[in-house]
Amino acid sequence: PKLQESLNIFTHLEHKPLLARSLFYIADTYAKEGKHEVANSYFAECLQYESYLSMRSYVDLQYKIGQLNWQTGNFDQAEMAYQKSLEVAKEGEYADFIQKVNYGLYEVYNERDQYEPAVNYLHTANRLQDSLRNEEKVKKIVELQFKYDVEKGEREIQALELRQNQIMLISSSVVFSLL
């Protein structure tokens, strides 16, 4: 209901980028609910506004269209959508989508009993998935190292402040004892 309401507002305002996004979200929601025909019609309408989508959103749109077509057994349409998604994903260097789309193409070719391209796409998808996992691990390690360094720096600052306070206390005591 809220997505439909947003769609109505953006249609009335003729705000095409938000209209495209609303159509995409509505289509995706229907696809997740298994309402494939309704999802397909919203995806088709969204394609009319593709020039208003970001490059990454376009990749996602074509990927979702590929998924929908694969689920409904329209393997030729799925392949076309996945190929469009892959082409733009490579251009934008979206490794996560490149991985997912390669897996989608593996599923299409495997379903058609075209095992050689299926294996190639699966190999690429798995290699990219490993790479993405390693990249994520490196990010976590760097983040942990940064947190450790920050905490270590804070402890050193606290130790220096404590040392400075001790020196000031001793200095004050010496001055007062001389008076």
Side-chain angles (χ1 to χ4, degrees):
K2 290 197 182 250
L3 287 174
Q4 190 63 48
E5 189 177 311
S6 298
L7 179 63
N8 293 339
I9 291 169
F10 299 138
T11 301
H12 177 73
L13 295 174
E14 296 182 13
H15 195 292
K16 293 177 181 175
L18 292 177
L19 178 60
R21 187 176 300 166
S22 293
L23 289 165
F24 175 80
Y25 289 138
I26 291 170
D28 191 38
T29 300
Y30 281 121
K32 288 176 182 172
E33 292 175 354
K35 299 177 180 175
H36 302 301
E37 287 183 31
V38 180
N40 195 40
S41 68
Y42 278 103
F43 279 136
E45 192 174 348
C46 185
L47 280 173
Q48 295 173 12
Y49 299 95
E50 71 181 60
S51 63
Y52 297 98
L53 295 171
S54 69
M55 188 180 225
R56 188 171 180 82
S57 293
Y58 176 77
V59 168
D60 195 17
L61 172 63
Q62 289 294 343
Y63 171 72
K64 300 278 180 158
I65 291 171
Q67 279 186 312
L68 180 67
N69 281 297
W70 183 81
Q71 290 169 353
T72 57
N74 298 318
F75 301 121
D76 291 340
Q77 294 297 319
E79 180 187 11
M80 286 191 327
Y82 281 146
Q83 289 294 354
K84 288 177 185 176
S85 181
L86 185 59
E87 180 183 333
V88 179
K90 285 179 178 179
E91 184 181 330
E93 298 180 1
Y94 304 129
D96 55 336
F97 276 108
I98 295 170
Q99 186 275 327
K100 291 192 301 189
V101 172
N102 270 279
Y103 190 80
L105 286 164
Y106 151 73
E107 290 180 317
V108 167
Y109 284 104
N110 190 51
E111 194 66 36
R112 291 177 174 161
D113 297 328
Q114 294 176 303
Y115 299 116
E116 186 176 340
V119 167
N120 290 335
Y121 282 114
L122 181 61
H123 175 71
T124 301
N126 288 339
R127 186 174 38 79
L128 287 170
Q129 187 173 21
D130 291 344
S131 176
L132 289 169
R133 276 194 202 125
N134 289 338
E135 193 175 297
E136 188 62 33
K137 287 178 186 176
V138 167
K139 284 180 185 177
K140 286 180 181 179
I141 290 169
V142 168
E143 183 180 322
L144 287 172
Q145 182 67 44
F146 177 76
K147 286 179 180 179
Y148 171 78
D149 291 343
V150 167
E151 288 177 11
K152 182 179 174 185
E154 288 173 354
R155 286 192 304 272
E156 288 175 1
I157 290 170
Q158 289 173 350
L160 289 172
E161 287 174 346
L162 179 62
R163 181 76 176 136
Q164 183 180 11
N165 289 340
Q166 289 171 340
I167 291 172
M168 288 178 61
L169 182 61
I170 293 171
S171 299
S172 298
S173 297
V174 170
V175 169
F176 281 123
S177 67
L178 292 176
L179 294 176

